[in-house]
Amino acid sequence: MLKRPDTRAEPSADERALCEGCRAGEPRALDTFFRTHVARVERVIGRLIGPTPDLEDLVQTTFTEAIRSFARFRGEASLATWVTRIAVHVTQHQLRRGVRRTVPLELLPEASEPHDAAPGADQVAGERQIAQRVHRLLDRLSPKKRVAFLLYAVEGHSIEEVAALTGAGRAATKSRIWFARRELLALAREDALLRELALAEARR
Amino acid sequence: MALECLSTGARLTASLAGHLSEAERLALEAHLGGCEQCRVDHASFEAVRRLRGWEPPRLSDLARERVRRAALEAARTPAVTTTMTRDSRPRRAGTLWVGLGLGGLVVAATVLTLLLLPRPRRQAAPQLSAGDITAAGDLRTADAEVTVRSTLGGVVQLGGPLVELAAGTSLRWHGAVRRVDLERGTVVVEVDPAQRLSFRVATPDFVVAVVGTRFRVDLGGVHTEHGKVRVLSRDGRTLALVGAGESWRLPTRAALPVPSALAPTPPVASPAAVPALEPTQVPGDATAATPQDGRSAAQRLEAARRALGAGDAARARSELRPLLGGGRAIAVEAHVLMAESFLTEGRYGEAIKGYRAVERGFGGTPQAESALFAIAQLESESGSAADAVRALQRYLARYPRGRFATEARQRLDRLAPRP
């Protein structure tokens, strides 16, 4: 699993040299930048938006934006943080457009199923169902709340890190997470199947 | 709700993220022990927690390579407007026409400039491969004859197009004639139509010829994802045209068309003897017999497909004509094949008319969507850039999330770059 970026980390000497190359448009530097960060960008977008056939477009938009914005990169954060921030921004924009297309979880290959699934077939099926239901509930949150909540609660970033990644203030970030939790719980209570599945999990 | 429950909510979120101190965790557990509602909420949050272990799907090697090339290409193109505002920007009808007019001028000026400027010499592309690829030679040489193998799967650039080799694939690349001889396994090929370069994949039994598209070939057939490919027999006869989303499988060896000089007059085949040229769709009213000769509509459609596969467009059309006014499911299929018969003969104007009949007469069917996109492709290939732009815009207006929407936007950007 990829390490999440430390949003306070400054670029190393190697990174600074890479940035210079990217700013100058050197193909080798841009290639290194892409290869180093593409897996992280795919993962961040995939986590925030769920399974989507638009993943390729979104990753491309992220790198296009990043490569065109190198001139404005001041080196105050690491490249990983910077490109993650752009990926978050691109994802939020896509969610705001409201045309997200989803891939049914049943159609995804085994590798994209929950990794901590217990070996029992019933349990695996149950967890897949839970993941599917949770994604449906997340679709009903506003993009800002959804992204802030997932970055905090699922990706494990601190409030300050979420604020840095989304470009929001600390208070706004806390409030988004608070409202997202409240709305998500209300939706979960209305979702009879999720409630049943969750209770079965609780009894397990 | 008790006051304790309110603070429990915040603790649940913090617990989910692993941000709770030990004391807070113990307090949470104590509360959950006595509060049924919070226990259910906690269990619901457990469902969210499970997403932490869920690894989202990743891009394939080929998709990554596509993204890499597009992003690096973007580095060479100055940004006039950011791509993020592309689809959400509101447009007014008046400015749209002005924009189209200006766009047309820009396209005309670009074409003139390209025609007048001397073309720079094409430099050898750097060798490019990702994943597990073994090449017995230098792929950068223009007329390279190189065997390429992949045990675990990988991607390699062969004379421009990207070729993804499935695990266990072996092929031989002939750079001088831009041909891949597939010896074993499966390849997915992506050819950029803008490069206007031919590319062929040959198997022992058939050849796939293409100008610009994305398709998958194994030794038993071909599946086209975008664009259109022509399947040829080894002696150069057209076996089938395979459009986006369609597949063609190799018929049994005995059923393969033989060169015309050797072929006997083909008897009217029973359905069982018809080579299994895909896509073979059996529409709902296909069993109804046509009045002419007692054969069912499905049999006539199959005969038309077979004639088309053998390159006999006139015979295909004679099979199709009685079906054009039949039931909707049969008629739409007949109109599509009719358009393809003209395409086989290079009669683009009539092919476009045929596809237009499908588009206008059978709205709401998948064939109508394919037809509209085919019109745009044909318009752009026959040099009518303005008509192609209009057809692509019509396609996107009608099918903003259609099967070819991404490709349509890319073509539109190439034909009429946004100001």
Side-chain angles (χ1 to χ4, degrees), chain A residues 33-47 49-50 52-67 83-84 86-91 94, chain B residues 56-60 62-72 74 83-84:
Chain A
F33 167 67
F34 177 84
R35 290 183 195 280
T36 309
H37 296 289
V38 64
R40 177 187 313 285
V41 167
E42 282 171 20
R43 183 172 171 279
V44 167
I45 293 173
R47 281 292 188 98
I49 208 163
T52 170
D54 297 325
L55 179 64
E56 185 178 337
D57 284 350
L58 295 172
V59 174
Q60 183 178 321
T61 305
T62 300
F63 277 101
T64 304
E65 291 294 326
I67 287 172
V83 77
T84 304
I86 295 173
V88 168
H89 186 52
V90 166
T91 308
Q94 175 77 355
Chain B
R58 296 288 171 84
L59 295 178
S60 68
L62 185 61
R64 271 191 183 177
E65 194 47 49
R66 266 200 310 268
V67 170
R68 190 188 72 85
R69 296 210 309 177
L72 295 188
T83 48
M84 284 198 287

Side-chain angles (χ1 to χ4, degrees), chain B residues 75-158:
Chain B
R76 288 192 285 273
T77 319
V80 177
T81 176
T82 64
T83 48
M84 284 198 287
T85 56
R86 194 180 72 176
D87 294 320
S88 56
R89 192 171 50 218
R91 289 183 172 190
R92 290 203 316 245
T95 54
L96 180 66
W97 287 110
V98 173
L100 275 178
L102 287 174
L105 281 174
V106 169
V107 169
T110 310
V111 168
L112 263 176
T113 311
L114 287 175
L115 286 174
L116 293 175
L117 281 177
R119 286 173 182 249
R121 279 179 67 82
R122 188 185 293 275
Q123 292 181 343
Q127 183 156 339
L128 187 155
S129 67
D132 171 41
I133 293 288
T134 311
D138 187 359
L139 291 167
R140 285 172 296 190
T141 315
D143 54 356
E145 294 259 344
V146 181
T147 298
V148 183
R149 290 196 179 89
S150 179
T151 309
L152 302 172
V155 187
V156 64
Q157 191 172 24
L158 297 177

